Amino acid sequence: MGRPPCCDKVGIKKGPWTPEEDLILASYIKDHGPGNWRSVPTNTGLLRCSKSCRLRWTNYLRPGIKRGNFTELEEKMIISLQSLLGNKWAAIASYLPQRTDNDIKNYWNTHLKKKLKKFHSILHPHHLGSSSSSDSSTSFQFLSKDYSSSYDRIRNLEHHHLIHQNSALNKFISSHRSSVGSSNTSSTTSTISYASSTENISRLLEGWMKTSPNKLNTSNSTTLKLKATQTEEKVLLDGNNNSKNNNHNTSHSGNNNLDDDKQLVKKVEVQESCNDDDDLISNEADYFESLLTFENISNMACWEQKSSSDSTTIHGSTTSASPEPQTTTTTTPIEDRVDSISESDHQGLIEDDQNQPPFSLLEKWLLDEATGQVLEEDPMETSPIF
DNA sequence: AACAGAATCAACCGCAGAGCA
DNA sequence: TTGCTCTGCGGTTGATTCTGT
């Protein structure tokens, strides 16, 4: 005998959620925590099925969700992860904790797929129109393939690149996995994005944050996390820029050949796309090439390592997000390189943090909100989802 | 200003795996 | 072991918004 049916199909409301429904759902989850979705509609009186409630919560109401424009960093991470994991949006989303799988999926389908297709057409102008047969799950793969299929030498080069990428990215992923895993149980999840992304709900729930226990600690960690996040993004972006600059001023020992080859790739691309008419396209090519570089992926690993060390630096002993269990596996030479890059950049990270750009108005508002003290323990933050 | 087509994204649908009775 | 529900995921849809004419 199984369980009783989760919800009647009759009388179930569909379509967009109203603010009132959001309020009811958020209030309920505030009191009871997420989970046990089957009981949510009956206990709240919402005429929604449990599935719809869960979806609404995870994709919209859940604290910590960032909405709106994707940063270049996020974009690159999505493309890289998609190439590695395929259309595993939930898995990809786990590396972008502030984004939902739905959001990432939508962004991929509406933006990135087009960009990749466009880039494909740059590589194969004579195939214009035929690339439409490529589906989203393989678009990055075909992109990568484009590099390798045309020129044997480039193929070998790309093979090496992929090895480098996978090594570095796996490192990045494994360290991030532990980070994500531990942050799930930590109490330092930022509440900033929640306020910024669902301000309507936040207003509806005014007083929630201000009456919940533990807010002081959270506010500290929130403030610091905001800074940390800014730093992380800056570092990675700077890293990418640096890596591009390093094409001309190679500073990574052992990368000379790769850099030379990359320039060769670039030249070939230029020849192939000689009919393309504007800087936009060449910029796109640069952009996508940067996605394929070892340095790019390396920087992700560096960024991850930095962020963990940064986190301890910034959080100090008070609100450290989670002891980042750095895996101490035997490292390959490539990983050694990644490590050395990371270490050498560590100091720069701290400096970066000290040179934070001024907070935006919203951030300021949020900081004020956070330092208004208020914060106590948010029931949400103890939930496994966060 | 009005319309059409394109773009966006919240929400739905159906499936699969895990867990429970 | 079986049959059922719950939960999560990926693909798709359709309403809304944006943009160009």
Side-chain angles (χ1 to χ4, degrees), chain A residues 1 33 89 100 112 149 172 209 215 221 224 227 240 242 278 288 359 367 373:
Chain A
M1 201 61 103
W89 307 118
T100 69
L112 299 180
S149 62
F172 160 76
M209 303 301 297
K215 193 151 184 179
S221 64
L224 294 168
K227 296 182 79 174
N240 289 332
N242 290 340
D278 53 49
F288 284 105
F359 291 125
L367 280 171
Q373 316 8 343

Side-chain angles (χ1 to χ4, degrees), chain A residues 183 186 188-192 218-232 311 314-315 319 321:
Chain A
S183 69
S186 78
T188 56
T189 303
S190 168
T191 56
I192 283 178
T218 313
S219 74
N220 288 338
S221 64
T222 296
T223 305
L224 294 168
K225 264 214 148 181
L226 172 63
K227 296 182 79 174
T229 302
Q230 290 174 332
T231 304
E232 287 160 2
S311 138
I314 295 176
H315 291 283
T319 59

Side-chain angles (χ1 to χ4, degrees), chain A residues 105-323:
Chain A
K105 181 172 58 181
N106 280 335
Y107 190 70
W108 175 267
N109 287 330
T110 57
H111 294 90
L112 299 180
K113 233 158 79 170
K114 285 176 199 166
K115 280 192 177 182
L116 289 168
K117 200 176 281 186
K118 185 174 179 182
F119 182 62
H120 182 243
S121 71
I122 292 170
L123 290 180
H124 292 291
H126 50 287
H127 284 168
L128 275 175
S130 66
S131 66
S132 59
S133 61
S134 315
D135 69 1
S136 60
S137 64
T138 56
S139 40
F140 188 80
Q141 283 92 335
F142 81 61
L143 175 63
S144 205
K145 223 176 185 172
D146 280 335
Y147 276 94
S148 58
S149 62
S150 301
Y151 309 96
D152 288 343
R153 182 152 185 268
I154 294 173
R155 170 177 295 176
N156 292 331
L157 166 68
E158 281 305 304
H159 180 65
H160 285 109
H161 275 219
L162 284 173
I163 291 171
H164 290 316
Q165 285 178 8
N166 285 336
S167 171
L169 187 55
N170 284 337
K171 189 180 176 76
F172 160 76
I173 283 172
S174 62
S175 74
H176 199 99
R177 190 164 275 149
S178 61
S179 150
V180 168
S182 53
S183 69
N184 281 348
T185 55
S186 78
S187 59
T188 56
T189 303
S190 168
T191 56
I192 283 178
S193 304
Y194 173 63
S196 63
S197 62
T198 59
E199 57 183 340
N200 53 337
I201 302 306
S202 146
R203 299 213 187 288
L204 284 171
L205 291 172
E206 196 173 12
W208 171 358
M209 303 301 297
K210 293 182 178 175
T211 58
S212 52
N214 230 7
K215 193 151 184 179
L216 208 59
N217 282 345
T218 313
S219 74
N220 288 338
S221 64
T222 296
T223 305
L224 294 168
K225 264 214 148 181
L226 172 63
K227 296 182 79 174
T229 302
Q230 290 174 332
T231 304
E232 287 160 2
E233 293 197 8
K234 186 174 187 303
V235 165
L236 184 56
L237 290 173
D238 287 348
N240 289 332
N241 291 338
N242 290 340
S243 74
K244 291 179 88 171
N245 293 338
N246 286 339
N247 286 342
H248 307 286
N249 182 17
T250 316
S251 60
H252 299 319
S253 62
N255 275 0
N256 291 350
N257 291 338
L258 290 178
D259 289 331
D260 289 345
D261 287 339
K262 269 169 50 188
Q263 290 187 0
L264 173 66
V265 173
K266 213 164 180 176
K267 279 179 188 171
V268 172
E269 284 172 19
V270 169
Q271 285 171 1
E272 277 211 348
S273 60
C274 59
N275 291 332
D276 297 326
D277 50 356
D278 53 49
D279 291 343
L280 175 68
I281 289 178
S282 89
N283 288 340
E284 295 266 329
D286 286 345
Y287 172 80
F288 284 105
E289 189 204 334
S290 77
L291 295 175
L292 295 171
T293 60
F294 163 64
E295 290 87 342
N296 183 34
I297 306 299
S298 299
N299 282 325
M300 289 167 72
C302 293
W303 166 63
E304 187 55 28
Q305 291 189 339
K306 283 171 188 168
S307 66
S308 65
S309 52
D310 192 37
S311 138
T312 49
T313 303
I314 295 176
H315 291 283
S317 57
T318 53
T319 59
S320 176
S322 54

